[in-house]
Amino acid sequence: MEKKVTIYDIAKEAKVSTATVTRVMSAHPSVRPATRERVQAVIARHNYTPSSIARELERGQNKTIAVILPEVINPYFAQLFSAADDEARKNGYAVWLYQLPSNEAVEDSVVEDLIRRRLEGAFFVGGIWEAARPGLMDALKRLGQYMPIVAICPPMTNLSCICLYNDLVTCVQHAVRHLHVLGHRRIAFIGGSLQVGGSGARGQGFLAELRALGLPDDPAYHHEGGFDAESGERAVQRLLSGLERGRWPTALIAFNDLVALGAMKQLKQMGLKLPDEMAIIGCDNQFFCPYTDPPLTSMDLHPDEHARSAIRELISAKENDTTPFTLMRDATLVVRESCGAKLGYRKLG
Amino acid sequence: MEKKVTIYDIAKEAKVSTATVTRVMSAHPSVRPATRERVQAVIARHNYTPSSIARELERGQNKTIAVILPEVINPYFAQLFSAADDEARKNGYAVWLYQLPSNEAVEDSVVEDLIRRRLEGAFFVGGIWEAARPGLMDALKRLGQYMPIVAICPPMTNLSCICLYNDLVTCVQHAVRHLHVLGHRRIAFIGGSLQVGGSGARGQGFLAELRALGLPDDPAYHHEGGFDAESGERAVQRLLSGLERGRWPTALIAFNDLVALGAMKQLKQMGLKLPDEMAIIGCDNQFFCPYTDPPLTSMDLHPDEHARSAIRELISAKENDTTPFTLMRDATLVVRESCGAKLGYRKLG
DNA sequence: ATTGCTATTGTTATCGATACCATAAATTCT
DNA sequence: AGAATTTATGGTATCGATAACAATAGCAAT
């Protein structure tokens, strides 16, 4: 490894003070051209690169924002991260990724680390909210005393942070109506959980629209579960094995695309023809949706836009003391062929 | 935001010197219990958390390793990152994610940033190598002067770094033999590029095994292209439209699972039955492989193990000056149903 | 030549924590 | 009790860069 070269080495060799070196580095106008060139020559010769650590200490800021999410392996979260990374970079900030798996209680150590590192903002993308995870709320509350937080979450009463979320109530209503128009009368919901957090909205829209359309609201049609493909498989298995064939639903709304993916596999394995014998709708509009068989109708939550808003708000929160607010974005039903509708089917409004 | 509380504030209020506060924080034995408690009380009252920036400056190390990859949105890379993150954390290190898209020439600014931040190692996961990207090699060479590098790449002659890679030559040979055993005689390769980097090995194994089995090596059966699903679609389209139906291959080996995904879609759209009328093999064994229709036979490159090795090597490279080496891991053919083989088909050895 | 600027450069405190060295206090030993 | 240790604590230089302030030099105007 190269021996470390500091600003003192440069100053000494160029026969100037460190202040002058700093001036040269930051293109300060009042440096005599001759001096500037001499210093630059020494800098170039030694490949000198100033330490950002020392600079951060002296300036009291590091221009770094944390992105906290359950797991990047999930492309939806990865997309959120990438957009945040890009937006931050464009504004002279860097982004630090923290994974906070929903099944591990590491929130305290993660929060502690953010504070230790003196990060300047946190973009929190949580999976599960409130009731399910009291320790998380405490940790975030503590975090909020040190840096601004923007979260992807339904409006929070007990936490003062900027909340970005989607109008999933309306979108799921559209989804149900979409299925209804196509002739479906027995519609089930699988995966996630109807009570908690994000899926609360899904459940709310689901039930509201069933009621509005006069469709049966059969508890046997709600099969909560996990958030991955495997739980989709299991949910379908439980759902169908619990009902005689004549009462099977003809359409499913899945918590997300992964659950839908697993569900589709299980349905095919049970010999059902998609979409004719079972329609299905996912959520997140992940990259693989166009490539499932049949291509999966899904809901686009516009994660990129959320992420960009989040970063921008965090940056501006540092300067002007913003009062917390919530921002609700539409979710868009992206119709493909998994419900039998042809591509280009008119979006319900 | 909380007003910043420093070690001086704690020291003053606890009526001790900063040295004692440091001792209390680091559980140094020689502090009188009474003093310790008094200091801890003040620390607790103020929620004092020491700044890691100041610590890093004084210690001259930040225990942070960079992971550089094309894009986390690709689950294969995300998996690599996650494993690296986990392994680093277990060893008291943190990991910083850099995205270096293969189509943007930002390598210089990324490398510059790593050096500025005085990171202590770089785990480089590149897409494209050598010839295709001269600037990248220069950037990595420069980086190598400041910190150890471990890369996922075929052995490099002109860059001194630890190289981890897979024996794709052998694995692709297995794949071809697998198809041969199942009766396939016309086998094509799509996506990526047969010349460059990782796909060089694929191409090498592909051609070698065709020759060994006495199969035709028709240039019309190589259709290079991109690395995503869309290029898989296009590759199939070009491949098949360029041949009369009688000469169509009966099996495809795709550069990776994304390409395979796109290929499958296009094949179905052209009315082919999978796997009966076209067998297909992917690469990376991504999470969605079991969920394609039919489930996709793929090659597992064991990214987790690579990532863990990489982190461990980077950490130990800091202490003992390791001489560079290359490590070749097997790749494993994971047989599913996309070639018509039943699950559990004996792996070729 | 002297005063008064401005252009250029140097000095040094500072950011927050750490660790080496020194000193004071407590304890043990003879 | 006095010396020899051991234990506990304080003082301060240091890490590397920055910036406020100070100082010098150069030049023009009088």
Side-chain angles (χ1 to χ4, degrees):
Chain A
M1 301 301 100
E2 204 93 330
K3 60 283 156 222
K4 312 180 189 185
V5 26
T6 75
I7 198 171
Y8 297 105
D9 304 322
I10 302 297
K12 196 200 286 184
E13 188 166 329
K15 299 201 203 321
V16 293
S17 71
T18 60
T20 299
V21 178
T22 294
R23 288 189 192 102
V24 170
M25 298 289 304
S26 56
H28 188 99
S30 73
V31 178
R32 199 164 10 135
T35 317
R36 177 187 310 282
E37 277 165 39
R38 185 156 39 93
V39 174
Q40 273 169 338
V42 179
I43 287 174
R45 177 147 15 102
H46 289 9
N47 261 322
Y48 168 65
T49 308
S51 158
S52 64
I53 298 175
R55 177 197 307 238
E56 286 167 15
L57 177 58
E58 134 78 39
R59 291 229 183 125
Q61 54 167 263
N62 53 20
K63 297 242 173 195
T64 305
I65 291 171
V67 175
I68 310 168
L69 44 77
E71 41 175 28
V72 269
I73 206 93
N74 181 325
Y76 169 72
F77 294 127
Q79 195 177 351
L80 227 23
F81 170 82
S82 282
D85 185 27
D86 187 64
E87 186 66 26
R89 195 169 308 280
K90 279 182 182 149
N91 289 281
Y93 278 72
V95 133
W96 195 311
L97 175 58
Y98 284 81
Q99 298 197 72
L100 182 52
S102 44
N103 54 1
E104 281 179 54
V106 289
E107 50 261 10
D108 288 331
S109 70
V110 166
V111 161
E112 193 59 23
D113 201 68
L114 298 201
I115 297 172
R116 259 213 167 63
R117 290 185 196 280
R118 305 289 193 259
L119 300 192
E120 300 183 21
F123 176 28
F124 183 86
V125 185
I128 305 180
W129 286 97
E130 299 180 87
R133 235 177 149 177
L136 179 59
M137 292 311 291
D138 294 340
L140 288 179
K141 226 170 265 175
R142 168 155 157 70
L143 184 60
Q145 298 181 312
Y146 291 87
M147 61 192 76
I149 302 178
V150 174
I152 302 278
C153 67
M156 309 292 297
T157 50
N158 47 351
L159 177 68
S160 152
C161 75
I162 297 176
C163 297
L164 310 179
Y165 69 112
N166 293 98
D167 185 2
L168 271 174
V169 175
T170 303
C171 192
V172 170
Q173 288 181 314
H174 284 181
V176 172
R177 223 175 319 151
H178 176 63
L179 291 168
H180 185 260
V181 167
L182 293 171
H184 294 279
R185 293 299 177 266
R186 293 192 303 279
I187 304 173
F189 185 99
I190 59 170
S193 142
L194 286 173
Q195 269 73 51
V196 172
S199 47
R202 290 171 173 84
Q204 195 183 323
F206 179 67
L207 297 176
E209 194 61 20
L210 287 189
R211 225 167 285 128
L213 294 170
L215 297 182
D217 164 21
D218 191 332
Y221 286 2
H222 311 166
H223 266 77
E224 315 185 3
F227 306 89
D228 57 3
E230 226 190 298
S231 22
E233 293 183 76
R234 280 200 307 271
V236 164
Q237 205 157 23
R238 282 205 313 272
L239 172 69
L240 298 192
S241 67
L243 294 166
E244 62 258 39
R245 185 134 195 162
R247 289 187 57 222
W248 281 7
T250 64
L252 300 180
I253 297 181
F255 180 83
N256 66 25
D257 293 332
L258 290 176
V259 171
L261 202 58
M264 289 171 86
K265 178 180 183 177
Q266 185 61 32
L267 289 167
K268 287 179 192 169
Q269 213 152 39
M270 296 175 85
L272 295 197
K273 281 238 172 102
L274 308 186
D276 300 338
E277 297 181 297
M278 186 72 79
I280 185 160
I281 295 180
C283 182
D284 285 351
N285 196 32
Q286 290 203 4
F287 75 87
F288 57 76
C289 287
Y291 297 99
T292 60
D293 185 13
L296 183 61
T297 290
S298 188
M299 304 181 237
D300 190 343
L301 307 187
H302 308 293
D304 287 34
E305 296 173 48
H306 273 323
R308 291 182 193 283
S309 300
I311 297 298
R312 278 197 292 262
E313 290 302 334
L314 285 172
I315 292 175
S316 80
K318 280 209 325 167
E319 287 143 24
N320 354 317
D321 226 34
T322 344
T323 55
F325 63 90
T326 61
L327 185 156
M328 184 176 81
R329 271 205 172 76
D330 279 356
T332 315
L333 188 68
V334 179
V335 176
R336 295 198 178 84
E337 293 152 54
S338 63
C339 303
K342 293 290 157 274
L343 264 161
Y345 184 85
R346 186 178 60 82
K347 236 170 51 198
L348 300 166
Chain B
M1 300 303 100
E2 203 93 329
K3 61 282 156 222
K4 313 180 190 185
V5 26
T6 75
I7 197 171
Y8 298 105
D9 305 323
I10 303 297
K12 197 199 286 183
E13 188 165 332
K15 298 203 203 322
V16 293
S17 72
T18 60
T20 299
V21 177
T22 294
R23 288 189 192 101
V24 170
M25 297 291 302
S26 56
H28 188 99
S30 73
V31 177
R32 196 154 25 124
T35 317
R36 179 188 310 281
E37 278 165 39
R38 184 157 39 94
V39 173
Q40 274 169 339
V42 178
I43 288 173
R45 176 147 18 101
H46 289 19
N47 260 323
Y48 168 66
T49 309
S51 158
S52 64
I53 298 175
R55 176 199 308 239
E56 287 167 16
L57 178 57
E58 135 73 43
R59 291 228 182 125
Q61 53 168 261
N62 53 20
K63 296 247 176 193
T64 304
I65 290 171
V67 174
I68 311 168
L69 44 77
E71 40 175 28
V72 269
I73 206 96
N74 181 325
Y76 169 71
F77 294 127
Q79 195 177 351
L80 229 23
F81 170 82
S82 282
D85 186 27
D86 186 64
E87 185 67 26
R89 196 169 307 279
K90 280 182 182 149
N91 289 280
Y93 278 72
V95 132
W96 193 314
L97 175 58
Y98 284 81
Q99 298 198 71
L100 183 53
S102 45
N103 54 3
E104 280 179 53
V106 289
E107 50 261 12
D108 288 331
S109 68
V110 166
V111 161
E112 193 59 22
D113 200 67
L114 299 201
I115 297 172
R116 261 216 165 64
R117 295 190 133 83
R118 304 290 192 257
L119 300 194
E120 300 182 21
F123 176 27
F124 183 86
V125 185
I128 304 178
W129 285 95
E130 300 181 89
R133 234 175 149 179
L136 179 59
M137 292 310 291
D138 294 340
L140 288 179
K141 227 169 265 177
R142 169 156 156 71
L143 184 60
Q145 298 182 313
Y146 290 86
M147 61 191 80
I149 302 177
V150 173
I152 301 277
C153 68
M156 309 292 298
T157 51
N158 47 352
L159 178 67
S160 152
C161 75
I162 296 177
C163 297
L164 311 180
Y165 69 111
N166 292 99
D167 185 2
L168 270 174
V169 174
T170 304
C171 192
V172 170
Q173 288 182 315
H174 284 180
V176 171
R177 224 175 318 149
H178 175 63
L179 291 168
H180 185 259
V181 167
L182 294 171
H184 295 278
R185 293 301 177 265
R186 294 193 303 277
I187 304 172
F189 185 99
I190 60 170
S193 143
L194 287 173
Q195 269 73 52
V196 171
S199 47
R202 289 171 173 84
Q204 196 184 324
F206 179 67
L207 297 175
E209 194 60 20
L210 287 189
R211 225 167 286 127
L213 294 170
L215 297 182
D217 164 22
D218 191 332
Y221 286 1
H222 311 169
H223 267 80
E224 314 185 3
F227 306 89
D228 58 3
E230 223 189 300
S231 22
E233 293 184 77
R234 281 199 306 269
V236 164
Q237 202 157 26
R238 281 205 314 272
L239 172 70
L240 298 192
S241 67
L243 294 166
E244 64 258 39
R245 186 135 195 164
R247 288 186 57 222
W248 280 7
T250 63
L252 300 179
I253 296 182
F255 179 83
N256 65 27
D257 293 331
L258 291 176
V259 171
L261 202 59
M264 290 171 86
K265 177 179 184 177
Q266 184 61 32
L267 289 167
K268 286 178 192 170
Q269 212 151 41
M270 296 175 84
L272 296 197
K273 280 239 172 99
L274 309 186
D276 299 339
E277 297 180 299
M278 187 71 79
I280 185 160
I281 295 181
C283 181
D284 286 351
N285 196 31
Q286 290 204 3
F287 75 88
F288 56 78
C289 287
Y291 297 98
T292 60
D293 185 13
L296 184 60
T297 289
S298 188
M299 305 181 234
D300 190 344
L301 308 186
H302 309 292
D304 287 34
E305 296 173 47
H306 273 324
R308 290 181 195 284
S309 299
I311 297 299
R312 278 197 292 263
E313 290 302 334
L314 285 172
I315 292 175
S316 79
K318 279 209 325 169
E319 287 143 24
N320 355 314
D321 224 36
T322 343
T323 55
F325 62 90
T326 61
L327 185 156
M328 185 176 79
R329 270 203 172 77
D330 279 357
T332 314
L333 188 67
V334 179
V335 177
R336 294 197 180 85
E337 291 153 53
S338 64
C339 302
K342 291 292 156 276
L343 263 161
Y345 182 87
R346 187 178 61 82
K347 241 170 51 199
L348 298 165

